[in-house]
Amino acid sequence: NAGVTQTPKFRVLKTGQSMTLLCAQDMNHEYMYWYRQDPGMGLRLIHYSVGEGTTAKGEVPDGYNVSRLKKQNFLLGLESAAPSQTSVYFCASSSKTDTQYFGPGTRLTVL
Amino acid sequence: DQQVKQNSPSLSVQEGRISILNCDYTNSMFDYFLWYKKYPAEGPTFLISISSIKDKNEDGRFTVFLNKSAKHLSLHIVPSQPGDSAVYFCAASPLVVSGTYKYIFGTGTRLKVLA
């Protein structure tokens, strides 16, 4: 039982490049979330999903897209990376009213 | 506008003593509150929660107190242990229409427990 896993752990991009972050959970959770954490700030919700095939915007969705094609996976895409997207990205999952379980994070640097 | 505030960026406490971490919020619609603990290079891990219908919740060495009239939340750790050294985030959410919680996180308090 791996819980929530994130791929990759680290990535360096150049401005304008694209990439996809993968989150996978094996707890059969309905809900999945993507957050970013920046120095001096708390975790901020980017997008979330309440079930397979559904997504919704969080607090800071601009510049990101997401997809939830399978219940266990939640993908976060950056179509054209900007330095302002340098951050640590955390994925989380939960059942309907349960607490959120977080992955180990992906550290992304955009040059 | 920071809806969830942790005004103390850091706190140092002697081993065995009580650690008190504070959190203030501004949104009276917040329904559910949690505390997470985060070690370096790891994701946050759930510590303890409290719903708005309670004023106290206890789990072993950890107790969370909620004062709704003051919009204030606190986490007490007694006794503090060196392994408690971490960053602690409080988070709050209203119950949204979809039935899930969209948490707003504070900026965190770094707790250092001195041996």
Side-chain angles (χ1 to χ4, degrees), chain B residues 3-107:
Chain B
Q3 294 190 67
V4 179
K5 299 177 186 178
Q6 293 177 259
N7 292 318
S8 299
S10 63
L11 175 68
S12 291
V13 172
Q14 208 65 36
E15 182 180 6
R17 305 296 290 267
I18 183 170
S19 294
I20 301 176
L21 294 90
N22 293 306
C23 180
D24 296 295
Y25 62 95
T26 57
N27 189 341
S28 58
M29 296 301 292
F30 284 150
D31 185 66
Y32 202 66
F33 305 85
L34 306 109
W35 285 93
Y36 278 88
K37 180 166 73 172
K38 186 183 180 304
Y39 293 117
E42 294 184 11
T45 54
F46 168 73
L47 197 55
I48 194 168
S49 64
I50 189 166
S51 85
S52 59
I53 61 172
K54 293 187 174 183
D55 55 17
K56 179 182 173 182
N57 189 25
E58 211 168 335
D59 185 1
R61 295 185 298 114
F62 302 93
T63 303
V64 56
F65 294 93
L66 176 62
N67 183 333
K68 286 191 72 178
S69 60
K71 295 191 180 68
H72 179 79
L73 194 66
S74 64
L75 174 69
H76 292 209
I77 307 173
V78 183
S80 301
Q81 298 174 353
D84 296 330
S85 297
V87 177
Y88 289 79
F89 292 98
C90 67
S93 174
L95 182 62
V96 294
V97 171
S98 58
T100 189
Y101 290 100
K102 290 171 61 178
Y103 291 105
I104 304 293
F105 282 79
T107 52

Side-chain angles (χ1 to χ4, degrees), chain A residues 3 6 8-10 12 21 28 33 36-38 40 43-44 48-50 54 62 75-77 91-92 99 102-103:
Chain A
Q6 293 182 231
K9 287 186 167 50
F10 303 94
V12 178
L21 282 67
N28 201 35
Y33 313 81
R36 60 178 287 174
Q37 187 193 9
D38 301 296
L43 285 79
R44 291 182 293 168
Y48 66 102
S49 167
V50 300
T54 71
D62 294 341
L75 279 64
L76 178 71
C91 174
T99 58
F102 284 83

Side-chain angles (χ1 to χ4, degrees), chain A residues 1-108:
Chain A
N1 190 342
V4 180
T5 57
Q6 293 182 231
T7 310
K9 287 186 167 50
F10 303 94
R11 186 72 187 268
V12 178
L13 290 179
K14 293 182 179 178
T15 296
Q17 286 185 314
S18 64
M19 77 163 293
T20 301
L21 282 67
L22 171 64
C23 176
Q25 53 94 4
D26 60 3
M27 297 175 279
N28 201 35
H29 284 163
E30 287 293 328
Y31 299 87
M32 297 188 74
Y33 313 81
W34 275 108
Y35 292 88
R36 60 178 287 174
Q37 187 193 9
D38 301 296
M41 303 189 78
L43 285 79
R44 291 182 293 168
L45 183 64
I46 304 171
H47 286 279
Y48 66 102
S49 167
V50 300
E52 185 179 322
T54 71
T55 63
K57 292 180 180 180
E59 189 184 351
V60 287
D62 294 341
Y64 305 94
N65 56 74
V66 287
S67 63
R68 184 97 179 270
L69 299 179
K70 293 182 179 180
K71 185 178 183 179
Q72 64 267 35
N73 295 337
F74 195 29
L75 279 64
L76 178 71
L78 287 75
E79 290 185 348
S80 179
S84 60
Q85 294 178 304
T86 293
S87 188
V88 181
Y89 292 86
F90 290 100
C91 174
S93 71
S94 70
S95 59
K96 184 168 184 178
T97 55
D98 200 358
T99 58
Q100 295 177 13
Y101 295 86
F102 284 83
T106 295
R107 187 174 293 275
L108 175 67

